[in-house]
Amino acid sequence: MDIGQIPLFAALTKRMSWLTARQTVLAENVANANTPGYVAKDLKELDFKSLIGKTKSFGPLQLAATEPGHIAPAVATTPAQVVTVADDQSLDGNGVSLEAQMMKVSTNASDYALVTSLYKQNIGLIKIVLGSGGAGG
Amino acid sequence: MELDKSFAVAFAGMSAQSQRLKVIAENIANADSTAKTPDADPYKRKIISFADELDKKMGVDMVKVSGVSQVQGGFGRVYEPGNPAADASGYVKTPNVNTLTEMMDMREAQRSYDANLNVIDAAKAMLSRTIDLLRG
């Protein structure tokens, strides 16, 4: 069984990669907080439906594996969309508000903590089923 | 890995801010540096400017120092006849450095540096959370 095929884990993994990508975008904003003419960026929010709604039969087309030796290609992930954020601009045309960025960075980190603990919990459930004592460690 | 990019960008931001701090330190240290002769100019205030630059290998917007320029003119004048740089009427040209402005710039550089450090902290927390998944 491939854990990545379970819808819940697939959704959590997608969320984690989205949060990681967002962290990079926020890092760019903070690093360029004093660059004239730089406009703050953010990622478009993940759509909950796109995470959960897709069952396997509606997923992207894949090559048929007709031989046991065939390897399924990695599913192409759609890159997260980058949008610009219209914050207040200073005189030099820089539109990065450090306070707003700090808020986003900390929400991002706590969201990530939430997702990883959900992931851990669900792995624990599978462990209970397997009888390896997921609750006890 | 995606988080490596966050680290790289934040480090670029920190090095840009520390170069800015270096320029500010030069300005403050030379706030009273006059010229040696009456016709030469005293120390000129330096300003640093940043530009965003796409790192093609990683695909992220890094920050770099686009240049350090000198501010021309705007010198002060102090009456000091004994100074070797004094002109015929006894006035010496003083640098166009305002220490208050420099102090304010310094604080801003410090604040931006801290913000970059915060980003690194958050990325580090995310990374260790991911490693924790392996511990089960």
Side-chain angles (χ1 to χ4, degrees):
Chain A
M1 183 182 68
D2 182 6
I3 277 192
Q5 295 292 324
I6 301 173
L8 177 69
F9 286 105
L12 289 179
T13 313
K14 203 170 170 197
R15 178 80 176 147
M16 274 158 76
S17 65
W18 183 84
L19 287 167
T20 323
R22 190 180 189 219
Q23 181 71 20
T24 308
V25 171
L26 296 179
E28 286 176 32
N29 287 345
V30 174
N32 284 294
N34 296 115
T35 307
Y38 184 89
V39 184
K41 292 180 291 185
D42 201 348
L43 287 190
K44 208 173 165 202
E45 267 294 338
L46 267 189
D47 189 11
F48 182 71
K49 257 193 200 158
S50 74
L51 288 180
I52 298 300
K54 268 187 215 150
T55 53
K56 213 180 167 196
S57 52
F58 294 114
L61 285 179
Q62 291 196 351
L63 292 177
T66 50
E67 290 282 324
H70 284 174
I71 302 167
V75 182
T77 50
T78 47
Q81 259 185 302
V82 178
V83 290
T84 51
V85 185
D87 266 341
D88 47 335
Q89 282 196 347
S90 58
L91 280 178
D92 60 359
N94 184 289
V96 182
S97 146
L98 271 187
E99 293 81 8
Q101 298 304 321
M102 286 300 102
M103 282 290 291
K104 283 180 181 173
V105 165
S106 66
T107 356
N108 214 42
S110 59
D111 280 359
Y112 197 86
L114 173 71
V115 176
T116 49
S117 59
L118 272 176
Y119 200 101
K120 234 173 162 174
Q121 285 286 328
N122 285 290
I123 291 281
L125 288 182
I126 292 176
K127 274 188 180 169
I128 293 176
V129 175
L130 292 175
S132 55
Chain B
M1 199 181 58
E2 201 65 17
L3 274 176
D4 281 351
K5 296 180 187 171
S6 305
F7 287 124
V9 178
F11 282 134
M14 280 161 72
S15 84
Q17 295 300 337
S18 43
Q19 286 190 56
R20 181 185 186 189
L21 200 60
K22 188 192 81 184
V23 171
I24 295 170
E26 284 179 43
N27 286 343
I28 294 178
N30 284 298
D32 292 315
S33 303
T34 53
K36 286 194 181 71
T37 52
D39 40 315
D41 280 338
Y43 177 83
K44 297 189 192 92
R45 180 187 178 218
K46 286 181 190 167
I47 46 174
I48 194 165
S49 52
F50 299 138
D52 55 329
E53 184 190 43
L54 184 73
D55 186 310
K56 291 204 178 66
K57 197 171 136 220
M58 291 197 287
V60 290
D61 254 347
M62 300 288 247
V63 60
K64 64 160 190 172
V65 174
S66 62
V68 179
S69 48
Q70 285 181 323
V71 179
Q72 304 292 332
F75 304 118
R77 265 158 61 91
V78 171
Y79 185 69
E80 223 174 277
N83 196 308
D87 59 10
S89 46
Y91 280 97
V92 180
K93 276 198 270 189
T94 55
N96 51 0
V97 177
N98 183 341
T99 37
L100 276 179
T101 316
E102 300 303 324
M103 282 296 171
M104 214 192 68
D105 270 1
M106 188 185 82
R107 286 274 174 235
E108 200 185 330
Q110 202 177 9
R111 207 173 71 114
S112 301
Y113 193 92
D114 281 352
N116 280 298
L117 267 181
N118 264 339
V119 170
I120 290 178
D121 271 349
K124 218 173 77 185
M126 284 165 78
L127 196 62
S128 62
R129 280 269 170 187
T130 317
I131 296 168
D132 269 355
L133 280 182
L134 291 176
R135 300 211 180 101

